Amino acid sequence: MAGEITSAPTPTKTPVYTPTSDLDQDDLSDTAGSLPTLRGIYETLFTKDGWLGDYDYGFLCMPTLPCLNRKSSRKPPFFGLKTKLPVLLAIVMGFQHALAMLAGVVTPVLIMSGPGTGNMNLDVSTRSYMLSASLISSGILSLIQITRFRIFNTKYYLGTGLLSVVGTSFNFVPTFNAMTTRMYQSGQCPMGIAPDGVTQIQLPCPKAWGAFLGTCMLCSLIEILLAFLPARIMKRLFPPVVTGVTVFLIGAKLIGTGLTQWAGGAGPCSAMPVDDFFSVCPNQGAPNAAPWASPQWIGLGFLVFMTIMFVEFFGSPFMRNAQVVIGLAVGLIVAATTGYTDSSTLDSAPTVTFLWVKNFSTFPLSIYAPAIIPLLVTYVLTMVEAIGDVTASCEVSRLAVEGREFESRIQGGVLADGLGGFLSAVMTNSPMSVFAQNNGIIALTRCANASAGYMCCVFLILMGIFSKFGTLFLMIPDSVLGGMTTFLFANVASSGMRILAFLKWTRRDRFIVSAAISLGLGVSLIPNALTHFVSYNGTSSVLQGLVDSANIILSTGFCVGAIIAIVLNQLLPEDVPEQEGEESTEEVDSQHAAKAVADMEEASRGEKADMKHL
């Protein structure tokens, strides 16, 4: 295939994507999706080679046992983007991709719709629908990214044309939490009394979801518009020093949420009240309820965590790619057999559902003005993250990561990402973006074929349509979910660290990262630290909206960190490069420090020798 590479590309000057003005001469048309021929359909569906091929299926299923495994010189063949892929292998690979992204797709919805401060505290039937909607939306929007369409009579494309799957973005969870907290505080979301007649609780607030979706529809336009900028400009405005810090801060904030779930739940019981309806988790009357951070909650979460570790050490490639789901399944089985689950949730769920079963009559659509600025920042971050994910997809797919075709895939991917942010809100789901973790599956299984992506989409849509599958996640105790989500959110933080690892770590880089993390991480640890000095008690709704918007930003750590990093990156001058053969001050300092350590060690050895002699 044109553009496919088998080794690392030779570094060259980054080219500029300038499509020809004559659309008929645009040589990127082969990167868009096309309909299969009748002969191709026959060879695929009605021949043994079309169904099975010669793939080594044992490679996917063989566990990693050091005493039994023998190193084999034979590797599975690499299936490129448009290489002919056997049907059975496409099904297996697609199912593997669906399992790998399953936890990531449903986790944000589980958190935002569940109990606790900053969440909506919705009823079981509404949460079940939202889980199904997230799976169906993920499948549909992934189809758009994978297929890649040329926009009629233009030089632009929609979609990457790669095995780029789309899932619910974690980036929007902190902003949503801050927004919903403000809505409860201002009285826009209702408060009530617990069954004990004393404890004040937050009542379900579907209005918050409608306000969030409406505001997301509006703010998604910024990513759609930025998609038409050349990728080199976007990378200049949002380099790794900005995106790395921001992604790390998002992960750091979410790890705290996961650990709170691990200890028993993020609901009112996490405050550990005494003699209260929520003195135990999840509440009094629940199966095997116990106080927050009790040993049984920690043990259930630790079981999930250690299962993930075990699969990583000893599992087959197929199991390792689905390790999070396997850990969750083990935790659910143990919780169910020991009496920590209630099957009535599953029994009451409908067998089949689809999008808009609960529509905007359930979630009244509106615009929440204070959340506009934070969501604009979030969409810009999501766009930059998508650029990195598409680049990684090109690398593992053995496609060029520079040149005209690559620039076009970036443009199409960002446009589909922004449009997906709008369409997912139309589908009553939180904004979605390109998932990065599936690139690891491509690298491990050596399959970057689009057919596997289409099968993944089919599995996701079917999982969403059969709503009892999504309802299974509502049966899982919070501590079991916490053992999984803590690990999942740590992957988000490590992704930010990986981006930062590509920096040269000049004095300028260290200064920007330190300044951004100092307040960004501080606000993540103490969310209300900066919100008390910005207040307003007047009658102007405009001023109140501006104050609320400022407080949402100041209580969201990654927003604070991103703004600081962006401003400093634009204002601070670049470090002057060292002349060839000239040692930098940092190198000289490092050499002096190493010499001092060596001298101290030599002196210490001398003292020990003297003591031994004595």
Side-chain angles (χ1 to χ4, degrees):
M1 174 182 169
E4 187 167 333
I5 58 176
T6 57
S7 60
T10 303
T12 59
K13 184 178 178 181
T14 303
V16 179
Y17 173 44
T18 52
T20 60
S21 56
D22 185 359
L23 299 179
D24 294 331
Q25 300 298 319
D26 190 347
D27 58 357
L28 297 178
S29 57
D30 65 327
T31 64
S34 59
L35 295 175
T37 63
L38 292 177
R39 181 177 180 83
I41 294 174
Y42 173 81
E43 291 178 350
T44 300
L45 298 180
F46 298 100
T47 63
K48 179 180 178 181
D49 186 61
W51 273 93
L52 301 178
D54 59 353
Y55 187 80
D56 182 10
Y57 291 91
F59 166 76
L60 291 176
C61 305
M62 183 61 66
T64 307
L65 299 176
C67 58
L68 297 179
N69 286 9
R70 295 180 179 178
K71 292 184 178 180
S72 173
S73 59
R74 185 190 177 208
K75 289 184 179 180
F78 180 81
F79 290 95
L81 191 61
K82 294 187 177 181
T83 307
K84 183 180 177 181
L85 189 68
V87 175
L88 179 60
L89 185 59
I91 294 173
V92 172
M93 295 293 185
F95 185 60
Q96 193 168 210
H97 278 279
L99 289 179
M101 62 187 296
L102 180 60
V105 172
V106 301
T107 296
V109 177
L110 281 171
I111 293 174
M112 292 186 285
S113 65
T117 303
N119 301 326
M120 292 182 290
N121 305 277
L122 297 178
D123 59 86
V124 171
S125 64
T126 304
R127 296 183 72 194
S128 175
Y129 162 76
M130 291 175 65
L131 288 169
S132 294
S134 65
L135 291 167
I136 296 172
S137 303
S138 176
I140 294 174
L141 296 177
S142 295
L143 284 172
I144 296 175
Q145 277 284 18
I146 295 170
T147 302
R148 183 168 163 86
F149 305 92
R150 179 175 174 178
I151 301 176
F152 180 72
N153 206 31
T154 70
K155 59 189 178 183
Y156 299 106
Y157 288 82
L158 177 65
T160 63
L162 306 170
L163 208 171
S164 302
V165 292
V166 175
T168 313
S169 176
F170 290 104
N171 297 348
F172 293 86
V173 176
T175 305
F176 175 80
N177 292 152
M179 181 192 101
T180 308
T181 300
R182 300 297 301 178
M183 292 184 73
Y184 274 109
Q185 292 174 349
S186 64
Q188 293 171 279
C189 287
M191 302 291 292
I193 302 297
D196 63 356
V198 178
T199 308
Q200 191 177 36
I201 61 172
Q202 295 177 341
L203 297 178
C205 188
K207 179 182 178 181
W209 194 242
F212 178 66
L213 296 180
T215 313
C216 285
M217 290 181 194
L218 174 65
C219 295
S220 65
L221 297 178
I222 189 172
E223 187 174 0
I224 295 174
L225 295 175
L226 289 175
F228 296 100
L229 287 177
R232 68 186 189 281
I233 295 180
M234 291 189 282
K235 290 181 178 179
R236 188 183 307 146
L237 292 174
F238 310 104
V241 70
V242 174
T243 57
V245 166
T246 310
V247 174
F248 169 75
L249 290 173
I250 290 174
K253 171 65 176 178
L254 293 175
I255 288 172
T257 302
L259 199 57
T260 303
Q261 279 189 312
W262 188 334
C269 69
S270 61
M272 303 182 72
V274 181
D275 297 330
D276 193 300
F277 182 69
F278 295 105
S279 59
V280 292
C281 292
N283 52 57
Q284 291 181 3
N288 285 342
W292 191 78
S294 293
Q296 53 264 54
W297 299 136
I298 303 298
L300 280 172
F302 192 70
L303 171 67
V304 176
F305 188 80
M306 289 308 299
T307 301
I308 295 173
M309 300 296 109
F310 182 84
V311 171
E312 178 64 25
F313 275 99
F314 301 106
S316 67
F318 185 92
M319 293 176 66
R320 285 160 60 192
N321 291 330
Q323 59 187 194
V324 173
V325 175
I326 293 173
L328 205 58
V330 170
L332 175 58
I333 292 171
V334 172
T337 55
T338 52
Y340 285 91
T341 60
D342 183 4
S343 61
S344 62
T345 301
L346 186 63
D347 297 336
S348 61
T351 304
V352 175
T353 189
F354 200 69
L355 299 173
W356 305 295
V357 169
K358 291 184 182 292
N359 48 39
F360 296 115
S361 61
T362 304
F363 313 112
L365 203 61
S366 63
I367 303 293
Y368 188 67
I372 290 178
I373 296 177
L375 283 176
L376 287 174
V377 174
T378 308
Y379 267 108
V380 171
L381 167 67
T382 303
M383 175 200 69
V384 179
E385 194 176 3
I387 294 175
D389 293 342
V390 173
T391 303
S393 296
C394 287
E395 287 178 339
V396 296
S397 300
R398 300 189 181 184
L399 299 173
V401 291
E402 58 181 11
R404 190 169 166 214
E405 180 179 324
F406 170 68
E407 297 278 343
S408 177
R409 292 191 189 277
I410 291 288
Q411 175 271 311
V414 172
L415 180 58
D417 209 63
L419 184 62
F422 179 86
L423 292 179
S424 60
V426 172
M427 298 174 187
T428 65
N429 191 61
S430 180
M432 293 194 161
S433 182
V434 178
F435 261 25
Q437 58 261 46
N438 291 68
N439 291 327
I441 300 178
I442 295 174
L444 184 62
T445 61
R446 302 169 60 85
C447 179
N449 196 270
S451 300
Y454 289 132
M455 287 298 176
C456 173
C457 297
V458 171
F459 281 116
L460 289 171
I461 294 173
L462 289 177
M463 289 175 184
I465 290 176
F466 294 100
S467 62
K468 287 188 181 294
F469 179 84
T471 309
L472 276 174
F473 290 93
L474 299 180
M475 288 180 55
I476 301 175
D478 282 342
S479 58
V480 174
L481 283 173
M484 177 270 293
T485 57
T486 303
F487 176 80
L488 205 62
F489 295 151
N491 276 275
V492 178
S494 63
S495 296
M497 290 188 283
R498 180 181 179 276
I499 295 172
L500 292 174
F502 289 104
L503 298 177
K504 295 181 178 178
W505 286 108
T506 62
R507 177 183 175 84
R508 178 180 183 273
D509 291 339
R510 289 200 305 271
F511 184 86
I512 294 175
V513 172
S514 300
I517 287 181
S518 61
L519 281 178
L521 187 57
V523 168
S524 296
L525 297 174
I526 308 176
N528 297 322
L530 303 180
T531 59
H532 295 289
F533 70 91
V534 181
S535 60
Y536 176 73
N537 297 319
T539 58
S540 172
S541 59
V542 175
L543 290 178
Q544 185 62 56
L546 290 174
V547 170
D548 288 344
S549 179
N551 281 328
I552 288 176
I553 294 174
L554 293 174
S555 62
T556 309
F558 84 86
C559 279
V560 174
I563 292 172
I564 292 174
I566 291 172
V567 172
L568 291 179
N569 180 65
Q570 296 300 319
L571 295 180
L572 287 177
E574 295 286 346
D575 288 340
V576 178
E578 302 292 338
Q579 297 294 328
E580 185 175 355
E582 180 182 348
E583 291 183 316
S584 67
T585 304
E586 296 173 359
E587 291 175 341
V588 173
D589 290 343
S590 298
Q591 292 174 2
H592 288 169
K595 186 176 184 301
V597 171
D599 292 342
M600 292 174 62
E601 290 178 349
E602 184 177 353
S604 176
R605 285 194 297 269
E607 292 175 0
K608 291 180 180 178
D610 293 339
M611 293 296 294
K612 184 178 180 181
H613 176 72
L614 292 174

